[in-house]
Structures are given as C-alpha cells and as structure tokens.
Amino acid sequence: MSAAVARRKKQLLIKKQKAAEAASSGGSATEYDALTVRLNSLLDIPDGTDKAEAETRAYEALQLAQGQVRRYAKQIDGDNAFKLASSITIQLLSRGYIGMANQLSTQMIDAMTETRLTLTDGILDKLCEVDSGYKTALAAITPKTPEEEDEKFRLQKLLMTFLRKAIKYSDDLGTIRYGDMRLHSRLGQCAWDMEEYLEAMMEFALAEENPETVVDLLFQLPKGDNDNAAKGPVSLRDSLLTHGVVIFISLENLRDANSLLRAFVAKDTERDAQKLATNYMMKGKKHPTHVAFCGSLIRICETDAAPLFSWIL
C-alpha cells in the first residue's frame, strides 16, 4: 500500500469517527433537520408561482442538496446521503423537474456506492418509489410537437440510465446475483415501453418475470408469416420468444425457459404446433419456425441429445 493511500484511509477513518461523535451528541441530526427544513421551504412552491421563479427555487434546492450529499459522501455517511437525496429527488419529480431529479438521483447512487452502503429492503422500496415518481412525471407530459416528442424521449432515457445504475448498485452491495429482481422488472417494462425489446426481454429474464405476463406483451406485437420465409418476415414476437428462451438457458433457468415456451404455444391459437414441428424436421425446405427451434434447444439442454443437436446444425 502506498503512503498516499494509507494517508487517505487514515483521513477517512478520522472523518468517520468525528461524524459518529457528532451524531452521538445530536449535532448531525440537528444539521440534517435544519437542512431538510430549508430544502422543504424552497420546494414548497405555491400554485400560480411564475415559472421562472419556480425553476430558480427548484434549482437552488438541487444545488443545496447536491452540496450536502457530497459532504455526506466525504464523511462516509451513506445513510444520510441516501435519505436526503431520495427525499428531494421525489419532491423534484412531483413538481415535474425530471432533469434536475436525474442529476440528484445519479449522484445519490454514486454516493451509496462510494460509501459502500449495503442494500436493504427500505432502500429498495425507496428506489422503487423514485422510479414511480419518474413514471408519474413522464406520464404528465403530453408532447404536441416533434421537438417535444424528442424531449420526452430524452427524459425517458434518463429513467433507464437511473435504473441501470440502481441495478448495478444492487448487484455490488445487495445479496442477489445480477441485481435485484424488482429493479430488473421495472427496467424491463421501461425498455418495453420505449420499444427497446431486446433489452426488455433480457431484463424480464433476469427478473424471472411471470412467463404469461411476458407472452401477453409479445402478442401485442404484429405477427408475420412464420410458416414460410418466402411469404413474409418472421414476426418480431417469435424472434423475441427465441431471444427470451436463449437468455433463460444462458442463466441455467430451464424452468422458466420451458414455462415461457409453453405459455407462448398456449396463447398462439392460430397455428398448429404439431404441424410446425413436423415441417421443421423436413430437411429439404426452409421453415423458420422459432417455436420448434426453441423446443428442440430446450430438449438438448435437458438431455444428452447429440443427434438432435447435429440435426439443428
């Protein structure tokens, strides 16, 4: 360990000890309460307030909160950094300031990671509340011009960025491999709404989403001609089915891979699954049947099926 790193660790330890002493004497709590009162007064914007003045007050609250979060991070006080940032983020979102809220929520996740704040159920609930705040604020936006459509799309991207960071944090400092499933589910729905279908299927798989729910979403997509490539393109929903099955298999989750395929076949009443399987085995013709392919792939993973694997190749 270099001398500089050793000095830095010693400085952080001293700061942490001082913060603990201040907390035990009530100083930290008093400072936190006074700051909260100030921030709440700034964000208590009466109806009818001039738009420019309201934005000025919100921006002042943002800067004040960001400065305090940085101080908490330096003191290795991740708990207060999270409490303050999450509270102000939710208030900013409730007033429609999505861009400002994203700046603070991003800094919040960074501070939690830097201070090694362990993920708890309470923190997870609050992160989900922040996500709900984002979605409520976005739903209130009704674009009337292409420029406004582009701006709303940009703000939706900010939500996806926040959720990705939250998942990374839950993977690093939580107890579930690849991150918390509730957050994956929320990111999956967000990606689906933005027509980022491949990412959505990945997130639904990591969330172990109910296969029937995923299939219902798939059948909202238009269908193509799945029996003969010469007649038209294979439907997007069949392609996404294969994508989802492959992801489940890569995660060694054959249970949900089977459930997803069976739910899809049960929902697809327009095609004869037995006929599709028969056509798929006819070597002389091209039949891009995703359903039969997925079934064969799952069987290969479940059994010693070298001949079947060779047949697929």
Side-chain angles (χ1 to χ4, degrees):
M1 181 185 299
S2 67
V5 173
R7 283 196 301 272
R8 180 57 179 160
K9 289 189 70 174
K10 186 176 180 180
Q11 290 171 353
L12 291 174
L13 180 60
I14 292 172
K15 285 183 178 180
K16 193 170 184 179
Q17 290 173 343
K18 288 182 178 180
E21 291 172 1
S24 63
S25 63
S28 179
T30 302
E31 178 187 4
Y32 180 85
D33 292 341
L35 181 67
T36 302
V37 170
R38 172 61 179 158
L39 288 167
N40 287 337
S41 67
L42 285 171
L43 292 173
D44 186 16
I45 304 172
D47 294 337
T49 302
D50 178 71
K51 181 179 179 181
E53 180 185 347
E55 288 182 353
T56 299
R57 292 178 61 169
Y59 187 67
E60 183 180 348
L62 170 66
Q63 290 186 308
L64 183 60
Q66 286 182 311
Q68 188 59 39
V69 169
R70 281 192 293 270
R71 283 191 286 273
Y72 282 140
K74 290 180 180 179
Q75 297 169 2
I76 320 299
D77 188 358
D79 189 50
N80 272 331
F82 170 70
K83 288 178 181 177
L84 176 67
S86 60
S87 173
I88 300 306
T89 295
I90 290 170
Q91 291 191 60
L92 288 170
L93 289 170
S94 69
R95 289 160 177 76
Y97 299 117
I98 300 175
M100 295 185 196
N102 183 257
Q103 292 182 50
L104 187 55
S105 62
T106 298
Q107 184 182 5
M108 173 184 74
I109 299 294
D110 290 340
M112 294 160 66
T113 303
E114 180 183 344
T115 59
R116 311 302 294 173
L117 181 64
T118 303
L119 179 67
T120 63
D121 289 340
I123 290 176
L124 181 59
D125 289 341
K126 188 63 69 173
L127 291 175
C128 290
E129 187 178 347
V130 171
D131 170 64
S132 298
Y134 267 105
K135 289 174 179 174
T136 300
L138 287 167
I141 300 175
T142 53
K144 298 179 181 178
T145 65
E147 291 75 15
E148 291 177 350
E149 287 278 3
D150 292 341
E151 176 61 13
K152 182 172 183 179
F153 182 80
R154 185 186 71 83
L155 295 175
Q156 289 174 316
K157 283 286 189 182
L158 294 181
L159 170 56
M160 291 185 69
T161 301
F162 164 73
L163 287 171
R164 291 189 191 111
K165 287 183 72 72
I167 288 171
K168 177 65 167 59
Y169 159 74
S170 70
D171 180 30
D172 292 339
L173 293 164
T175 58
I176 300 178
R177 187 185 181 191
Y178 303 126
D180 186 83
M181 289 187 287
R182 285 170 61 184
L183 296 176
H184 278 298
S185 178
R186 286 171 175 267
L187 177 55
Q189 188 60 60
C190 183
W192 187 273
D193 292 340
M194 295 186 67
E195 299 184 1
E196 300 282 352
Y197 297 128
L198 293 180
E199 181 172 358
M201 292 301 293
M202 170 70 80
E203 297 303 325
F204 287 147
L206 289 168
E208 297 185 9
E209 193 72 48
N210 183 348
E212 292 183 359
T213 301
V214 177
V215 168
D216 287 341
L217 289 173
L218 290 176
F219 273 81
Q220 293 174 10
L221 300 172
K223 73 182 187 69
D225 190 327
N226 303 280
D227 298 324
N228 192 329
K231 293 182 181 179
V234 175
S235 72
L236 176 59
R237 68 190 186 196
D238 281 45
S239 300
L240 291 175
L241 166 70
T242 301
H243 191 71
V245 168
V246 170
I247 293 171
F248 277 129
I249 291 173
S250 70
L251 295 171
E252 301 181 3
N253 186 352
L254 293 178
R255 178 201 65 189
D256 285 339
N258 266 303
S259 297
L260 179 62
L261 179 60
R262 288 171 180 167
F264 188 93
V265 171
K267 184 87 171 178
D268 188 2
T269 58
E270 298 179 6
R271 292 179 291 180
D272 185 339
Q274 187 62 42
K275 180 182 177 182
L276 291 178
T278 301
N279 289 343
Y280 185 75
M281 300 303 290
M282 295 172 64
K283 274 293 198 177
K285 299 181 180 180
K286 290 184 177 180
H287 294 277
T289 309
H290 284 242
V291 173
F293 171 80
C294 289
S296 299
L297 191 60
I298 293 172
R299 295 292 85 74
I300 288 171
C301 296
E302 291 178 333
T303 62
D304 181 12
L308 183 55
F309 181 71
S310 299
W311 179 271
I312 288 180
L313 294 179

